[in-house]
Amino acid sequence: MATREWNPLDFDIGEEEDEEGTPSPSSISPPLQYFDRDRHVAFLEMMYNLMPHHYQSQEINRLTLAFFTISGLHLLRALDRVDKDRVADWVLSFQAHPRSRAELKIGQFYGFHGSRTSQFPPDENGVSARNAGHLASTYCALAILKTVGFNLLTIDKESILISLRNLQQPDGSFMPVDVGAETDLRFVYCAAAICFMLEDWSGMDREKAKEYILKCQSYDGGFGLMPGLESHGGGTYCAVASLRLMGYIEDDLLSKTVTSSIINVPLLLDWCMQRQAIDGGFQGRANKSSDTCYAFWIGAVLRILGGYKFIDKIALHRFLLTCQSEFGGFSKYPRDLPDIYHAYYGYTAFSLLEEPGLNPLCAELGMTDLTAIGII
């Protein structure tokens, strides 16, 4: 099967080029001065009904695109535009199933495929070869099912959880697929979120995962995607959200009287606060440009810690509006074309800012509070 993992950069759409191949000046109109919910709903409805040609190379990540679309509509309080039963049936069709219980321990992961491209049909004897799932696709599948109100306790969670342990490595990290791939905090987070949503932690060794996460905290307080790597907004979110889901850190740590924590909270808070740039947006790493998605990746960490009140919300609101497209959705940088990845994290960022007309966000799961607690 294809082993390509979920990479946010895959969803960026490049600039238009002129006839000589050089980027042409943006022809996009000046940004609106308010959050235009109706345009965003229309943008997501388009994504729900068809896949624009820019995303054809991302067909293998179709479940991820669907998660951004459907969860985005829920954030915008427009989930009524979705046929919930049809969506649930479609998502369930991507689950990989073992032929017998014995197969659960041979190494394959029986989660969800990302699309039909990685879901091989049975041969003439009814045997499915290499029909394993992917951690990120499984997270997205379960998140979609929760969003449309499907009862996750009715699915074959035993196959998912038993085979999930096949992906955990001796150091506590996780591979996204069983055939070998990168191991980093993204997939620790996916594993933690899967176990949390299924209400069963038998799928992972939490203690080993915790130790791996702690090794990823850097000297400056942030977390790299792997031990020894540069602190990064996405890695920091995956670390903090995973620890919160696993029950190792409390919510709103800064308001507690507890004097110690398994992570260096003051240094982490300082690193996060330094990520808000002079233009009001958030950068993912030091000396990088502000980027719409980090208003979620960093903002959600601050929300979990209880430090969101310290940011300049007015400046962040202003920056995000410069990335809002006249077509609906959000772009990575001001006045670029929108894409579904940055659109979704634009909506989550505005939810954190408590924008009127949006559902509140569960920061550690990256979806609405209503979805997280099962009220749809």
Side-chain angles (χ1 to χ4, degrees):
M1 65 171 283
T3 61
R4 185 179 186 185
E5 68 273 2
W6 173 15
N7 183 349
L9 295 180
D10 289 339
F11 298 100
D12 294 344
I13 298 175
E15 294 178 317
E16 294 181 353
E17 296 185 348
D18 61 23
E19 293 181 356
E20 297 180 1
T22 57
S24 62
S26 174
S27 60
I28 299 176
S29 302
L32 297 171
Q33 300 304 305
Y34 62 93
F35 182 85
D36 193 336
R37 176 185 172 279
D38 291 342
R39 292 193 194 212
H40 296 304
V41 170
F43 175 80
L44 292 179
E45 280 194 284
M46 175 194 70
M47 295 297 298
Y48 176 69
N49 288 303
L50 57 88
M51 178 182 282
H53 75 275
H54 295 95
Y55 299 94
Q56 289 176 1
S57 64
Q58 288 304 312
E59 199 281 331
I60 197 170
N61 293 315
R62 187 178 286 265
L63 267 180
T64 302
L65 297 172
F67 165 67
F68 292 146
T69 301
I70 295 167
S71 186
L73 285 169
H74 195 210
L75 279 166
L76 296 171
R77 300 182 181 176
L79 196 59
D80 60 319
R81 315 300 173 92
V82 169
D83 184 331
K84 299 182 183 65
D85 291 336
R86 185 179 179 188
V87 167
D89 289 342
W90 178 75
V91 172
L92 290 169
S93 72
F94 289 106
Q95 186 174 4
H97 295 282
R99 288 170 295 179
S100 68
R101 185 178 175 82
E103 286 193 335
L104 294 176
K105 297 183 179 180
I106 64 174
Q108 288 189 213
F109 173 52
Y110 293 99
F112 287 78
H113 296 272
S115 74
R116 298 282 176 246
T117 303
S118 59
Q119 188 179 42
F120 301 136
D123 62 20
E124 62 274 9
N125 297 315
V127 177
S128 298
R130 294 302 319 144
N131 226 4
H134 190 287
L135 261 184
S137 299
T138 303
Y139 160 76
C140 290
L142 296 179
I144 294 170
L145 290 172
K146 279 185 70 69
T147 299
V148 298
F150 186 84
N151 183 2
L152 294 184
L153 300 182
T154 65
I155 69 173
D156 179 13
K157 74 172 189 175
E158 183 181 43
S159 293
I160 296 174
L161 294 168
I162 292 177
S163 63
L164 177 59
R165 294 188 75 96
N166 297 331
L167 301 181
Q168 189 165 21
Q169 304 303 294
D171 64 358
S173 64
F174 278 81
M175 293 190 302
V177 289
D178 64 273
V179 293
E182 297 173 286
T183 60
D184 58 52
L185 285 178
R186 291 173 298 174
F187 308 118
V188 173
Y189 172 75
C190 288
I194 288 166
C195 290
F196 184 88
M197 286 189 282
L198 292 177
E199 301 178 27
D200 189 332
W201 290 94
S202 65
M204 64 186 296
D205 185 326
R206 277 187 283 184
E207 192 63 27
K208 281 187 176 182
K210 179 192 75 173
E211 293 304 317
Y212 180 80
I213 292 170
L214 297 183
K215 291 176 183 177
C216 293
Q217 188 165 27
S218 184
Y219 70 92
D220 57 7
F223 288 77
L225 283 169
M226 298 173 65
L229 294 188
E230 178 186 10
S231 295
H232 183 277
T236 300
Y237 171 81
C238 289
V240 173
S242 295
L243 292 173
R244 174 65 190 135
L245 291 171
M246 291 190 289
Y248 287 117
I249 62 173
E250 296 181 85
D251 189 35
D252 197 8
L253 278 174
L254 299 179
S255 69
K256 305 294 190 297
T257 57
V258 180
T259 57
S260 63
S261 175
I262 61 172
I263 58 176
N264 190 326
V265 176
L267 203 58
L268 172 59
L269 177 64
D270 183 62
W271 183 84
C272 288
M273 293 303 299
Q274 289 186 47
R275 300 285 70 77
Q276 188 165 24
I278 193 170
D279 61 7
F282 278 86
Q283 57 184 197
R285 292 176 287 160
N287 302 313
K288 296 294 184 179
S289 299
S290 296
D291 176 336
T292 294
C293 69
Y294 291 107
F296 168 77
W297 299 120
I298 303 294
V301 171
L302 289 169
R303 172 59 63 83
I304 294 170
L305 297 177
Y308 197 73
K309 57 193 173 186
F310 298 130
I311 73 170
D312 187 337
K313 295 181 181 179
I314 295 175
L316 175 58
H317 191 276
R318 186 185 308 120
F319 170 80
L320 290 172
L321 287 179
T322 67
C323 298
Q324 180 178 229
S325 170
E326 63 179 317
F327 310 110
F330 286 86
S331 58
K332 180 175 184 174
Y333 301 128
R335 298 180 65 79
D336 278 359
L337 290 172
D339 64 85
I340 187 62
Y341 171 81
H342 290 93
Y344 183 71
Y345 289 113
Y347 307 145
T348 59
F350 270 99
S351 179
L352 288 172
L353 287 168
E354 300 180 345
E355 179 72 21
L358 295 185
N359 278 321
L361 186 76
C362 174
E364 56 266 37
L365 279 179
M367 59 186 72
T368 67
D369 271 339
L370 295 173
T371 297
I373 62 178
I375 300 177
I376 301 296

